[in-house]
Amino acid sequence: MDELVAIRAEALRGPSDRATEAQHAKGKLTARERIGLLLDEGSFREVEQLRRHRATGFGLEEKKPYTDGVVTGWGTVEGRTVFVYAHDFRIFGGALGEAHATKIHKIMDMAIAAGAPLVSLNDGAGARIQEGVSALAGYGGIFQRNTKASGVIPQISVMLGPCAGGAAYSPALTDFVFMVRETSQMFITGPDVVKAVTGEEITQNGLGGADVHAETSGVAHFAYDDEETCIAEVRYLLGMLPSNNRENPPVAPGGDPADRRGDTLLDLVPADGNRPYDMHKVIEELVDDGDYLEIHERWATNIVCALARLDGHVVGIVASQPMSFAGVLDIHSSEKGARFVQFCDAFNIPLVTLVDVPGFLPGVDQEHGGIIRHGAKLLYAYCNATVPRISLVLRKAYGGAYIVMDSQSIGADLTFAWPSNEIAVMGAEGAANVIFRRQIAASDDPEATRSRLVEEYKAGLMHPYYAAERGLVDDVIDPAGTRQVLIASLAMLRNKHADLPSRKHGNGPQ
């Protein structure tokens, strides 16, 4: 027992106090400190703590630390089981070798078998060069398990250091990526290789830092200033997710009454379709206690994707954002919305879509960039979703974008609209210019004729009850009563069951 205690103490301590000090000097925590922040106190159970590599050559046989640079195990977050692995940068720079990879494979297999979320705390320099192809094969095993677990258990990657090459692909396969500013980076080829190949000079953060991936590439869903805040937000996210695809998200009843009216909404959305407003304020008014977690907050800001609660039950919200590009759909917002819809559908999270969309963004760049292909991703995701789906048209809903934003015709279970809604093929002025262009051109006063015909078109095809009269909107509702309507509708749909056709899988747009 004395020998066991001494060995365990060595494994827990790590390579040296100097290595720990160096980690702290970079503003980074150790692997065990990070696990301590993530999991409930005292709940962590480690797996293969005494594992050591068996590689030889290049001096490896002289350096065989316990854990082999990765800490693996399970514990609880708010009492619910969560599996975790954390790279220990103090050992081989967190680089992945054969034994290191085998430990990760095992904990991933355990998470899938137990039906519990998997969180990876990434702080590794990539494959262990001294072990050659064995290290690369280890990454292959991780990727294969990431794919196997996709849609079965939630997978969250937390980037807490430099992650290059293969180390960046596993996070890209998971559901959510968290990053910390200044200390975490992700890239396939580093700045030195970029300079050698292209001549471009750039820093690590400029190439693959947290802000780059949160705002420009869309690789990171969340970015924070420090590890403590980042890991606290991971715990918050886990509290809104089911353990696996066979369960529903946890219910957390609060003190916000289900029948609370939102009179603020009556003045929040301008009747003038050309005036912007902040959709975040609408969401805050609708959800429990105004509390929600926005996904990809700083990327593709013309669409808002968020997790929130209505009467204690988790919902996924997809909403146009008139404050950004007037809320149009473009390539990036379509991709963002599509992946969020797919995630919610995979994990039994009902979808509420708030629509104020003037159409798809026109332009050569968008067309040549494949807006047809990318817009179809959002359409495909909605059409494929079997969770409860409720759509609410707040104001504008024009053209193909109206169809794509979960209209009744593509399978929304319930569709509501506010009295300010305008559902049409296009805006009244554009429609009048097309339909009545000859009359306008032949008129003695073209502007007066255009104005009159625009009003006629609005009165005939764009009045607030046109869609409701044709059964394409289930009801036109009082904006102040929206929260009550949504909660009652979701309660009715809670046991919804829908089957897709028998198939191996669909072939979605690429």
Side-chain angles (χ1 to χ4, degrees):
M1 282 304 301
D2 290 343
E3 182 181 24
L4 173 60
V5 170
I7 290 173
R8 197 175 300 285
E10 180 182 346
L12 291 171
R13 184 174 59 251
S16 68
D17 291 340
R18 183 178 176 183
T20 301
E21 290 169 3
Q23 182 81 344
H24 288 163
K26 298 173 186 174
K28 297 162 63 176
L29 302 175
T30 66
R32 295 187 186 278
E33 288 169 341
R34 291 162 174 166
I35 290 173
L37 288 175
L38 175 68
L39 301 177
D40 297 337
E41 186 176 354
S43 69
F44 182 54
R45 300 291 298 176
E46 192 168 350
V47 175
E48 294 193 358
Q49 182 186 73
L50 307 183
R51 186 70 178 260
R52 305 165 88 174
H53 73 76
R54 55 190 178 186
T56 58
F58 307 102
L60 284 178
E61 63 272 14
E62 305 298 328
K63 189 177 181 182
K64 301 178 68 174
Y66 293 112
T67 73
D68 198 44
V70 64
V71 180
T72 60
W74 78 89
T76 60
V77 172
E78 297 180 1
R80 300 164 65 222
T81 299
V82 172
F83 287 80
V84 60
Y85 68 86
H87 299 129
D88 190 340
F89 194 81
R90 302 172 302 165
I91 298 174
F92 300 123
L96 182 137
E98 181 184 18
H100 181 122
T102 302
K103 288 182 64 175
I104 295 175
H105 296 169
K106 180 170 183 174
I107 210 68
M108 295 179 79
D109 289 339
M110 291 175 68
I112 295 169
L118 174 70
V119 178
S120 62
L121 303 175
N122 299 274
D123 188 5
R128 197 174 298 170
I129 299 172
Q130 300 94 320
E131 295 194 30
V133 71
S134 296
L136 292 177
Y139 271 125
I142 293 173
F143 303 157
Q144 191 268 342
R145 287 167 174 82
N146 284 138
T147 304
K148 181 180 178 182
S150 181
V152 178
I153 57 171
Q155 299 180 85
I156 299 173
S157 297
V158 189
M159 317 310 292
L160 300 167
C163 297
Y169 273 120
S170 175
L173 291 169
T174 61
D175 298 307
F176 298 103
V177 176
F178 288 72
M179 294 188 75
V180 176
R181 294 185 181 91
E182 302 303 324
T183 58
S184 67
Q185 301 89 30
M186 295 174 69
F187 36 70
I188 300 303
T189 54
D192 293 341
V193 176
V194 170
K195 182 179 179 181
V197 175
T198 69
E200 298 171 285
E201 292 193 21
I202 192 167
T203 64
Q204 285 196 347
N205 280 318
L207 181 63
D211 288 326
V212 168
H213 287 311
E215 296 178 11
T216 305
S217 72
V219 170
H221 300 80
F222 307 94
Y224 300 99
D225 290 330
D226 57 80
E227 294 190 12
E228 291 83 357
T229 303
C230 180
I231 294 173
E233 288 298 294
V234 174
R235 284 180 57 91
Y236 178 67
L237 173 59
L238 285 167
M240 302 187 79
L241 303 180
S243 292
N244 56 65
N245 64 341
R246 301 181 303 277
E247 298 181 6
N248 290 321
V251 180
D256 197 347
D259 59 354
R260 170 175 58 80
R261 283 180 59 82
D263 292 317
T264 304
L265 295 171
L266 294 169
D267 301 315
L268 193 57
V269 178
D272 181 357
N274 294 319
R275 288 180 57 197
Y277 61 94
D278 191 352
M279 185 63 78
H280 293 113
K281 294 182 179 179
V282 175
I283 295 171
E284 288 171 10
E285 189 64 30
L286 293 176
V287 303
D288 291 357
D289 303 309
D291 188 25
Y292 62 94
L293 179 64
E294 186 170 356
I295 314 298
H296 268 143
E297 179 181 1
R298 295 159 60 198
W299 180 65
T301 54
N302 40 330
I303 196 169
V304 176
C305 298
L307 293 171
R309 282 191 164 89
L310 283 169
D311 197 27
H313 295 268
V314 177
V315 296
I317 296 175
V318 180
S320 310
Q321 174 53 296
M323 291 288 287
S324 178
F325 297 103
V328 297
L329 286 174
D330 61 1
I331 289 172
H332 287 162
S333 61
S334 297
E335 288 187 329
K336 172 179 170 178
R339 194 161 193 274
F340 182 71
V341 168
Q342 288 177 171
F343 174 81
C344 291
D345 186 50
F347 290 103
N348 309 312
I349 299 173
L351 288 161
V352 174
T353 305
L354 306 178
V355 185
D356 190 346
V357 60
F360 282 94
L361 181 64
V364 175
D365 288 345
Q366 288 290 308
E367 296 294 348
H368 288 185
I371 183 61
I372 297 171
R373 179 165 49 89
H374 293 284
K377 292 179 182 179
L378 182 56
L379 179 61
Y380 187 93
Y382 269 125
C383 290
N384 211 40
T386 59
V387 292
R389 292 157 50 190
I390 298 176
S391 179
L392 170 67
V393 179
L394 280 65
R395 200 170 57 173
K396 299 185 299 295
Y398 294 161
Y402 152 67
I403 299 294
V404 169
M405 288 291 281
D406 206 19
S407 62
Q408 189 180 103
S409 57
I410 65 169
D413 296 295
L414 289 168
T415 305
F416 300 107
W418 285 359
S420 53
N421 81 83
E422 294 180 358
I423 303 174
V425 175
M426 62 175 67
E429 291 202 8
N433 287 338
V434 172
I435 299 171
F436 307 116
R437 66 179 181 275
R438 291 182 180 176
Q439 290 176 247
I440 294 171
S443 172
D444 293 335
D445 188 347
E447 286 305 317
T449 302
R450 179 184 289 107
S451 297
R452 177 177 58 80
L453 293 173
V454 164
E455 291 305 315
E456 286 182 11
Y457 182 83
K458 282 184 177 181
L461 295 177
M462 291 182 64
H463 64 79
Y465 306 100
Y466 185 85
E469 290 171 0
R470 282 149 184 80
L472 297 173
V473 166
D474 291 296
D475 198 7
V476 178
I477 63 172
D478 174 5
T482 301
R483 173 177 163 84
Q484 301 165 252
V485 171
L486 292 177
I487 288 174
S489 300
L490 289 167
M492 179 275 293
L493 291 167
R494 196 151 291 139
N495 294 321
K496 174 189 173 182
H497 177 77
D499 289 320
L500 292 172
S502 178
R503 59 184 176 184
K504 187 173 182 180
H505 57 74
N507 186 26
Q510 297 300 314

